[in-house]
Amino acid sequence: MNAKYLFVAAIALLPLSGIAHAAGDPKVKSMMAHSDCFTCHSVDHQVIGPAYKDVAKRYHGTKASAAIIATLAGKIIKGGNGNWNKETGGAPMTAHPKMSKTEAEDMTKWVLAQ
């Protein structure tokens, strides 16, 4: 294969590698465990909020765009309501205003990799 095409393919996969890496990142899972994430969410079944696997499915998992990652990270920080009303009965997503954008994006990538 032409080196030019290999370079383009490698660049195209960079965002995906970050999401795939996040799934196995114990630092991110620990950060989530020390927050209140697992109070309302589980990886494979609904608690109060949707299961992380359902979130990943809805938002295209490891193929999620940077815009989706930014939007979901913003919901972690600011809270939200309405996207999962059918599943949650309208329970709002709690805001986490002290969380950094980077932390929220890392957590979002971890969720999307489930």
Side-chain angles (χ1 to χ4, degrees), residues 52-106:
Y52 290 142
K53 287 186 181 220
D54 293 335
V55 175
K57 184 177 178 182
R58 179 177 285 186
Y59 294 104
H60 311 292
T62 58
K63 295 179 183 171
S65 69
I68 288 174
I69 292 167
T71 297
L72 295 176
K75 286 181 181 275
I76 292 170
I77 295 169
K78 296 175 188 168
N81 193 9
N83 291 331
W84 294 90
N85 281 348
K86 180 179 174 188
E87 295 82 2
T88 67
M93 169 77 174
T94 304
H96 301 86
K98 294 181 181 179
M99 189 173 293
S100 75
K101 180 180 174 188
T102 300
E103 290 172 328
E105 286 176 349
D106 287 346

Side-chain angles (χ1 to χ4, degrees), residues 12 32 36 74 89 104:
M32 292 173 72
D36 61 350

